[in-house]
Amino acid sequence: MSYWSKTAETGSALCISDILAVLYFKILHINPKKPDDFDRDRFLLSKGHGASALYAALAERGFFSVDKLKKYRVNGGIFHGHPSKEVAPGIEISSGSLGHGLSIGAGMALVLKKSLPKRKVFVLMGDGECNEGSVWEATMFIASHKLNNVIAIIDDNGFQGFGKTSDVHTMDLATKFKAFGWQIFHVDGHNPVQLEKILNKAKTSSRPCVVIAKTITGKSIPNIENTLHAHYYIVDEKTHKNHHEK
Amino acid sequence: MQIEMENNKDIVFLTGDLGFNALEPLHQSFPDRFINVGIAEANMIGIAAGLALTGKKVIVYSIASFLTMRPYEQIRNDICYHNLDVKIVGTGGGFNYSTHGITHHTIEDVAIMNVLPNMQVLCPTYSWEAREATKSMMKSKKPTYLRLGKSPKTNFFKPDFKFKIGRGFVIREGKDILLLVTGNILDCGMEIAEIIKNKTGLEMSVISMPSVKPLDKKLILETSKKVKLVATLEEHSLHGGLGSEVAMLLSQSHLPKLPFIPSALPDVFIKDVGSRDFLLNKAGLSPKKVAKNIIKKLGR
Ligand SMILES: Cc1ncc(C[n+]2csc(CCOP(=O)(O)OP(=O)(O)O)c2C)c(N)n1
């Protein structure tokens, strides 16, 4: 998608692809034939710049045809670089400005907790995104209202827009969420078996849960893996070919 | 900016986690006066206010949409209310983050910055304007919003231009029609003038308005006196930007009523996917369409 459209945000999508695959094929209670069924789990991509991975997951899961992915970030296309709710089924919210998803998730969870207690709200955020104060306002609200139907997932790749996450803030995320009354899980964000196990466990918790997934930005493209550059990388012809021959 | 920071040790530069492949030299040169505050715009503006209240001159930098809208109340209360020496530098005004989508399109920023007391609003176009606007902004002690876009590669500079905040610049002379343009769509304005000349023989004067607030009211009124129609052009909402300001000015002046065509973005979210030119075209801001509207209004 990056290659066709000559656009970036590549690393940020690759690092969440395994998480999305597990969610859409193993965890989420959803029906691609009835995308608006009220009785469904909600998945919110709060780090909207990972949109290409979401579009791919929705297409693979049957929400729309895989062909449509060619309409990503091209003139007259369907998909922006950040999700826009109405353009295709399965996209729960428009996002792209960081730090909005968890609050929206809290609102959804308030309703679902009363009407459909088994349904969950999953919110995927970047580790850099957690710089935003709004994330912590939502974290406190969710804990105070005992919304154990919220599962936040953090894509902990160690990088954000202009450097390492640890260069911006020194305090680690698990300690903070714990202090705010959440249950913490750690997982390898590229291990599908572990991801499935942990996410299922989080579903049964009596507290709001955060799953901190250790990921590698630019995963699967060796020359950009674990670099800041991965975020801004546009797939070139050679890399594109290599991947398709695999 | 490098030179400004070398010359004035009181300048502090804050970024909201942006500047990859651009700000690294600044970071390296001034490690203790350059801070990546992180993705926390509201906090960043508050910190800027604190720095300014403690004797510093502060530049804050991020993508224009996030920098103006997320921390709006901090900008109003902490920066403008205290009338502080903080420069808000937003990159990607208008449709420059084209295929990123609506969250990145920045088409309301001029309106919401314009309406704040004490705030100056600068929207330079090409490299000379951008450089001079930055220099003037750094000399001034007032809260200032600098909206950066993609520079048209053309240079419109003339030897008699002397940049001053609040001044407009005549880029093309013409006796029949006046077109006022702000920001990175000036090249489009020049094309409109050319189309109109070819189709009707009418001469259009094109004035660049890098300073939207304060506005060069004197120049606008003097030039409006001589023409048959006044038009405006901006990569911004129809509401609250240059077009609105000019309409207000003309309607309150003693000039006879003139035909007026404000060309700007309609009051909808443009959800189409495409490049900046593609989106401008969808929004009705292609040179051809604007020229056609003007010609029609003149009954030609
Ligand atoms: C409110 C807001 N500020 C700034 C940005 C610009 N931006 C997009 S992605 C990004 C870095 C995000 O870091 P992280 O959440 O760690 O995601 P990653 O880069 O690791 O995918 C920034 C600063 C934005 N989209 N929204």
Side-chain angles (χ1 to χ4, degrees):
Chain A
M1 292 163 82
S2 161
Y3 172 70
W4 300 319
S5 62
K6 301 271 171 288
T7 59
E9 285 74 37
T10 313
S12 308
L14 288 171
C15 60
I16 59 169
S17 295
D18 291 324
I19 298 171
L20 290 183
V22 171
L23 281 168
Y24 276 91
F25 285 90
K26 299 283 185 191
I27 301 292
L28 295 177
H29 178 88
I30 42 166
N31 181 353
K33 299 214 170 61
K34 286 202 259 169
D36 296 327
D37 188 356
F38 193 71
D39 185 7
R40 68 179 190 279
D41 286 337
R42 269 69 172 173
F43 171 73
L44 313 184
L45 182 67
S46 190
K47 55 164 276 185
H49 59 288
S52 56
L54 174 66
Y55 303 145
L58 289 170
E60 294 288 348
R61 185 68 173 79
F63 281 86
F64 46 81
S65 79
V66 175
D67 280 359
K68 282 219 167 120
L69 298 178
K70 292 235 155 127
K71 295 271 190 186
Y72 172 69
R73 299 182 85 167
V74 291
N75 283 348
I78 298 173
F79 301 110
H80 284 130
H82 297 79
S84 187
K85 181 171 162 55
E86 295 112 43
V87 303
I91 301 173
E92 296 282 2
I93 56 164
S94 302
S95 58
S97 175
L98 296 164
H100 288 237
L102 198 58
S103 303
I104 299 177
M108 291 176 167
L110 270 178
V111 178
L112 292 176
K113 180 143 188 177
K114 291 218 174 86
S115 50
L116 290 166
K118 269 164 72 187
R119 299 286 72 97
K120 304 284 172 190
V121 181
F122 295 84
V123 182
L124 178 55
M125 296 183 286
D127 51 347
E129 181 176 4
C130 295
N131 295 169
E132 285 287 1
S134 55
V135 170
W136 302 100
E137 294 173 26
T139 304
M140 287 187 279
F141 180 92
I142 289 165
S144 301
H145 289 260
K146 303 193 168 48
L147 297 175
N148 65 332
N149 51 346
V150 173
I151 299 172
I153 304 169
I154 294 177
D155 161 29
D156 184 15
N157 62 24
F159 289 93
Q160 51 187 88
F162 190 65
K164 290 189 172 161
T165 306
S166 56
D167 289 342
V168 177
H169 289 309
T170 48
M171 207 171 152
D172 88 300
L173 289 171
T175 314
K176 281 190 272 193
F177 272 99
K178 206 167 177 179
F180 283 49
W182 287 49
Q183 185 166 358
I184 320 295
F185 294 96
H186 290 278
V187 64
D188 170 355
H190 299 298
N191 181 333
V193 179
Q194 238 192 66
L195 273 166
E196 187 182 350
K197 201 175 109 198
I198 297 288
L199 286 166
N200 272 326
K201 215 161 156 190
K203 273 173 140 180
T204 61
S205 173
S206 58
R207 281 188 290 156
C209 292
V210 57
V211 175
I212 299 178
K214 196 92 208 135
T215 57
I216 296 171
T217 179
K219 174 80 181 170
S220 82
I221 303 181
N223 54 332
I224 61 161
E225 276 188 3
N226 263 328
T227 64
L228 178 60
H229 171 60
H231 186 122
Y232 302 95
Y233 173 75
I234 297 174
V235 175
D236 57 28
E237 190 164 352
K238 199 171 131 213
T239 310
H240 177 67
K241 264 200 185 140
N242 279 347
H243 270 250
H244 277 251
E245 278 157 17
K246 262 187 206 164
Chain B
M1 204 45 74
Q2 187 86 25
I3 301 166
E4 299 281 346
M5 286 181 75
E6 253 156 42
N7 292 343
N8 183 349
K9 301 271 181 283
D10 279 331
I11 299 176
V12 179
F13 193 107
L14 306 179
T15 175
D17 202 32
L18 280 144
F20 179 74
N21 257 348
L23 295 184
E24 289 81 357
L26 212 56
H27 188 190
Q28 270 145 27
S29 309
F30 309 102
D32 49 353
R33 289 195 280 140
F34 179 105
I35 304 172
N36 179 8
V37 172
I39 312 165
E41 295 77 9
N43 188 36
M44 177 161 73
I45 298 292
I47 291 168
L51 286 163
L53 283 166
T54 320
K56 301 295 176 189
K57 189 178 195 81
V58 191
I59 300 155
V60 294
Y61 176 83
S62 183
I63 295 178
S65 58
F66 309 129
L67 189 56
T68 54
M69 297 184 214
R70 190 60 164 273
Y72 191 60
E73 201 198 32
Q74 275 82 359
I75 295 176
R76 176 185 184 266
N77 292 353
D78 304 347
I79 308 296
C80 292
Y81 185 16
H82 290 119
N83 200 10
L84 296 178
D85 194 354
V86 174
K87 315 305 177 197
I88 298 169
V89 180
T91 178
F95 280 147
N96 282 297
Y97 280 96
S98 55
T99 67
H100 281 78
I102 310 274
T103 50
H104 290 58
H105 297 166
T106 313
I107 58 178
E108 308 90 349
D109 55 332
V110 174
I112 61 176
M113 291 297 120
N114 255 345
V115 79
L116 294 174
N118 290 331
M119 183 68 98
Q120 305 182 118
V121 179
L122 305 177
C123 311
T125 314
Y126 56 103
S127 55
W128 176 80
E129 274 186 10
R131 194 178 61 239
E132 295 301 315
T134 306
K135 275 198 222 154
S136 300
M137 167 181 91
M138 293 311 288
K139 270 196 210 117
S140 145
K141 288 199 182 306
K142 297 194 69 174
T144 307
Y145 173 52
L146 179 70
R147 181 203 222 213
L148 299 176
K150 197 192 240 157
S151 159
K153 295 287 175 270
T154 332
N155 187 9
F156 300 99
F157 174 72
K158 291 187 187 156
D160 62 329
F161 284 2
K162 240 187 125 192
F163 196 93
K164 203 176 148 227
I165 292 174
R167 183 172 288 175
F169 299 90
V170 182
I171 305 287
R172 177 182 168 129
E173 309 250 8
K175 60 181 186 351
D176 304 309
I177 306 167
L178 168 61
L179 177 65
L180 301 159
V181 190
T182 190
N184 52 343
I185 196 165
L186 179 59
D187 48 344
C188 184
M190 296 301 274
E191 239 181 290
I192 294 167
E194 207 50 39
I195 297 173
I196 290 184
K197 186 179 174 179
N198 291 339
K199 291 222 160 137
T200 64
L202 292 173
E203 292 288 352
M204 181 184 248
S205 161
V206 179
I207 299 187
S208 179
M209 291 281 168
S211 175
V212 176
K213 186 185 176 187
L215 191 63
D216 194 342
K217 294 181 179 167
K218 204 171 140 225
L219 179 66
I220 297 173
L221 291 173
E222 268 170 16
T223 332
S224 298
K225 262 188 223 161
K226 305 173 197 157
V227 296
K228 301 181 185 63
L229 179 145
V230 177
T232 57
L233 179 65
E234 63 201 302
E235 198 169 320
H236 181 272
S237 168
L238 181 59
H239 303 280
L242 178 70
S244 297
E245 291 299 317
V246 172
M248 179 110 82
L249 175 68
L250 292 178
S251 67
Q252 292 182 341
S253 74
H254 299 295
L255 292 181
K257 193 172 180 300
L258 275 172
F260 178 64
I261 298 218
S263 295
L265 302 169
D267 186 18
V268 291
F269 289 113
I270 303 220
K271 291 186 182 166
D272 298 79
V273 177
S275 66
R276 172 175 170 244
D277 285 343
F278 184 89
L279 295 174
L280 286 174
N281 195 30
K282 280 279 168 192
L285 284 194
S286 72
K288 265 193 199 149
K289 270 190 208 157
V290 175
K292 206 170 142 191
N293 289 344
I294 293 174
I295 293 169
K296 202 169 141 203
K297 186 89 175 178
L298 284 169
R300 296 274 175 147

